[in-house]
Amino acid sequence: MGKLLAVGSMAFDAIETPFGKTDKILGGAAPYIGLAASQFDIEIAIVSVVGEDFPKNYLSLLESKNIDTSAIEIVKGGKTFFWSGKYHNDLNSRDTIETQLNVLGDFNPVVPEDYKDADVVMLGNLHPGTQLSVIDQMAKKPQLIILDTMNFWMDNTWDELIQVISKVDVITINDEEARQLTKEYSLVKAAKKINEMGPKFVVIKKGEHGALLFHGDNVFFAPALPLEEVFDPTGAGDTFAGGFAGYIATTKDISFENMKNAVIYGSNLASFCVEKFGTERVENLSKSEIHQRLLQFKELTQFEIELT
Amino acid sequence: MGKLLAVGSMAFDAIETPFGKTDKILGGAAPYIGLAASQFDIEIAIVSVVGEDFPKNYLSLLESKNIDTSAIEIVKGGKTFFWSGKYHNDLNSRDTIETQLNVLGDFNPVVPEDYKDADVVMLGNLHPGTQLSVIDQMAKKPQLIILDTMNFWMDNTWDELIQVISKVDVITINDEEARQLTKEYSLVKAAKKINEMGPKFVVIKKGEHGALLFHGDNVFFAPALPLEEVFDPTGAGDTFAGGFAGYIATTKDISFENMKNAVIYGSNLASFCVEKFGTERVENLSKSEIHQRLLQFKELTQFEIELT
């Protein structure tokens, strides 16, 4: 059985979209990654940190999905990372209203012994030094290390970011970040430069415009499923990453052809995530719903042209 | 043999992009539509208007592609429509520097007798009253009428626009225009509202983010081909429309399955258009280049997932 190590933040999120607002709900990269990956028949552990204020029932929720939470450090007297944000009317952009790093500021990840041989390591968006520390703790080289990052680390921790990028197999970033990282406007050129920095596979996330997978001269595109209602985009990128990582951990096949499927699974799960606030939709997702949506992705993209 | 009637502007364009600038070159919707459609084995006529200043060799160029130019009115002493624009660094937006309507301001389209039974009518972006006049002149209902329009007509000639929309089978607009036309943010909802306004098929053009085809509950997505170099986006939408219309005129099959192929052909031809200034690339395009690129579109989008 495939083994996935997921490292990422756990948070309280307070979200406002044009359709409503939430009080503090379960957030952070790790829960989205874990919940998405739990759709596959694999072993999953989350390495993260929370404060003493973190509700036990959030941990129970993850455990009920067969996610190992024993490496989630609970800091006595500490407060959990908090983020609040407000989306603009078009849902494509948002303002951060407040960020309280709290215990995440001193996060020192400890990889459990029985996950030092994980097949797939998913490094959620964190300080690149923290991500590096996880890679250094692995006892054997994982089949695939996937890195998520963002512009903040390009602005503030360039050298460490470049170092961690050089050690991973897949990077997932958005189009603007790919351009910032490489100073190339063309995403084709940007992906080639990132290849040269280390990652053999580059996933460029474009939100409602889908995702591109680059590998050498190969390129694959998965659209986002056009939806009647998009409720809350929070966590869609992490859900995509969790679906991608989980699919690779269960198939253990890192050919480009199979990576395409991983991108489709990631897009599939992300399309559910945005339908409700927070993790609500991915918590309650059946295999048959996912299969139904796979058929929709096929209808959306597949065509038969006779080459005359 | 399929017969396509293309109605649209003919212009001098002066274009500046981050990669260079042109003097007055051949522009307007009709040349792009005609050149793209001329890749198919069909009869094509352009209905348009130019001034006496319009170079004969531009007309000869179109004729060399078997495009009937006899319904292009040449106004004695008149000046041809002129547009100049400058693209921003990201090529996704542009400023219009100057527009001189000239003879286009009094354009009174006359459909030639032998095209009043055309199979496909492609109405390029024009005053909706002009587009209506073309529909009224048809002797029999074409198999497919395709309408291109833009936000300018929504702002200035709403009633006539709604009238022409009610009489066409396919509308091609961009995502922002679909939202403006329907007051719906979700493109799925916007497309449904447009269906109710008349067009059974809605093509939403998203530039570098591809194109969506809606038909009832069916939806298909064609990505734009990721390119190393995008030189000049001018005419890409019209080239898309010409490829779409030409493919339908040659296949005479307006099933949703075949419309998907039309969208792919449109995207294919548009991907060439942006590689050089103006019409240069679509003027010099071989069937084998198009077939090669069709294979790239297949690789870009096709996947094989086992439904487990």
Side-chain angles (χ1 to χ4, degrees), chain B residues 28-30 32-33 36 87 94 122-125 146-149 172-174 203 205-208 210-211 232-245 266-267 269-271 273-274:
Chain B
Y32 288 103
I33 293 169
Y87 286 87
R94 66 186 186 193
M122 175 69 230
L123 299 169
N125 175 39
I146 305 160
L147 178 83
D148 189 33
T149 188
T172 74
I173 47 179
N174 73 30
V203 175
K205 301 175 288 184
K206 305 201 297 173
E208 65 160 336
D232 171 21
T234 310
D238 296 313
T239 303
F240 174 92
F244 181 93
S267 301
L269 293 168
S271 76
C273 176
V274 302

Side-chain angles (χ1 to χ4, degrees), chain B residues 2-274:
Chain B
K3 207 186 265 191
L4 170 65
L5 176 67
V7 187
S9 59
M10 296 187 65
F12 291 123
D13 281 353
I15 302 163
E16 184 171 349
T17 81
F19 311 108
K21 58 190 293 185
T22 66
D23 286 328
K24 288 181 172 186
I25 59 172
L26 174 62
Y32 288 103
I33 293 169
L35 287 167
S38 74
Q39 290 293 338
F40 301 95
D41 199 17
I42 54 175
E43 293 177 64
I44 310 171
I46 289 178
V47 173
S48 190
V49 63
V50 296
E52 209 173 341
D53 55 351
F54 195 76
K56 291 283 173 296
N57 63 333
Y58 285 166
L59 295 176
S60 310
L61 164 70
L62 297 173
E63 284 153 16
S64 76
K65 305 287 182 182
N66 289 319
I67 298 168
D68 183 339
T69 65
S70 58
I72 300 175
E73 184 191 352
I74 302 169
V75 178
K76 281 249 166 75
K79 287 180 71 182
T80 300
F81 172 45
F82 171 72
W83 175 81
S84 72
K86 183 176 176 176
Y87 286 87
H88 301 161
N89 273 335
D90 69 1
L91 293 176
N92 281 325
S93 53
R94 66 186 186 193
D95 294 322
T96 290
I97 294 168
E98 196 179 349
T99 303
Q100 298 173 6
L101 269 188
N102 298 333
V103 296
L104 193 66
D106 301 312
F107 178 33
N108 193 8
V110 178
V111 177
E113 279 305 320
D114 51 341
Y115 274 84
K116 289 188 172 171
D117 64 349
D119 301 291
V120 176
V121 176
M122 175 69 230
L123 299 169
N125 175 39
L126 286 168
H127 190 295
T130 308
Q131 295 172 320
L132 271 171
S133 147
V134 172
I135 296 175
D136 289 344
Q137 291 175 57
M138 299 307 290
K140 75 174 183 70
K141 197 189 167 324
Q143 190 178 21
L144 204 71
I145 305 179
I146 305 160
L147 178 83
D148 189 33
T149 188
M150 69 183 296
N151 52 2
F152 181 82
W153 311 114
M154 297 175 199
D155 295 334
N156 295 288
T157 59
W158 179 265
D159 290 347
E160 281 167 292
L161 178 62
I162 296 303
Q163 207 184 333
V164 70
I165 287 175
S166 75
K167 295 190 174 186
V168 304
D169 305 293
V170 184
I171 186 172
T172 74
I173 47 179
N174 73 30
D175 40 3
E176 283 319 304
E177 289 158 353
R179 287 165 176 150
Q180 182 176 349
L181 188 59
T182 61
K183 316 280 182 288
E184 289 287 351
Y185 179 75
S186 154
L187 297 178
V188 176
K189 286 186 178 174
K192 285 196 174 151
K193 276 205 178 172
I194 297 171
N195 281 159
E196 289 164 10
M197 296 165 79
K200 294 180 292 291
F201 297 90
V202 177
V203 175
I204 295 181
K205 301 175 288 184
K206 305 201 297 173
E208 65 160 336
H209 300 303
L212 284 159
L213 169 69
F214 290 94
H215 175 56
D217 287 330
N218 296 312
V219 53
F220 177 69
F221 178 82
L225 197 70
L227 297 168
E228 292 229 5
E229 309 273 5
V230 173
F231 200 75
D232 171 21
T234 310
D238 296 313
T239 303
F240 174 92
F244 181 93
Y247 185 78
I248 297 296
T250 193
T251 56
K252 298 186 181 181
D253 171 358
I254 59 168
S255 67
F256 183 69
E257 286 306 310
N258 197 55
M259 289 267 185
K260 290 182 178 183
N261 295 348
V263 169
I264 291 289
Y265 263 99
S267 301
N268 184 330
L269 293 168
S271 76
F272 287 105
C273 176
V274 302

Side-chain angles (χ1 to χ4, degrees), chain A residues 133-153:
Chain A
S133 148
V134 172
I135 296 175
D136 289 343
Q137 292 174 58
M138 299 307 290
K140 76 174 184 67
K141 197 188 166 329
Q143 192 179 21
L144 204 71
I145 304 179
I146 306 159
L147 178 82
D148 188 34
T149 188
M150 69 184 294
N151 52 2
F152 181 84
W153 310 114

Side-chain angles (χ1 to χ4, degrees), chain A residues 90 92 179 185-186 188-189 192 206 208-209 212 219-221 223 226-229 260-261 264-265 291 294-295 297-305 307-308, chain B residues 90 92 179 185-186 188-189 192 206 208-209 212 219-221 223 226-229 260-261 264-265 291 294-295 297-305 307-308:
Chain A
D90 69 0
N92 281 326
R179 286 165 176 151
Y185 180 75
S186 154
V188 177
K189 286 186 179 174
K192 285 196 174 151
K206 304 200 298 174
E208 65 159 336
H209 300 304
L212 283 159
V219 53
F220 176 67
F221 178 82
L227 297 168
E228 291 228 8
E229 307 275 5
K260 289 182 178 183
N261 295 348
I264 292 289
Y265 264 99
H291 285 178
L294 266 182
L295 295 176
F297 270 91
K298 285 206 170 206
E299 285 170 13
L300 182 63
T301 57
Q302 308 299 290
F303 60 88
E304 288 296 335
I305 286 188
L307 290 173
T308 51
Chain B
D90 69 1
N92 281 325
R179 287 165 176 150
Y185 179 75
S186 154
V188 176
K189 286 186 178 174
K192 285 196 174 151
K206 305 201 297 173
E208 65 160 336
H209 300 303
L212 284 159
V219 53
F220 177 69
F221 178 82
L227 297 168
E228 292 229 5
E229 309 273 5
K260 290 182 178 183
N261 295 348
I264 291 289
Y265 263 99
H291 286 177
L294 267 183
L295 295 176
F297 270 91
K298 284 205 172 209
E299 285 170 14
L300 181 64
T301 57
Q302 308 300 289
F303 59 89
E304 289 296 334
I305 285 188
L307 291 173
T308 52

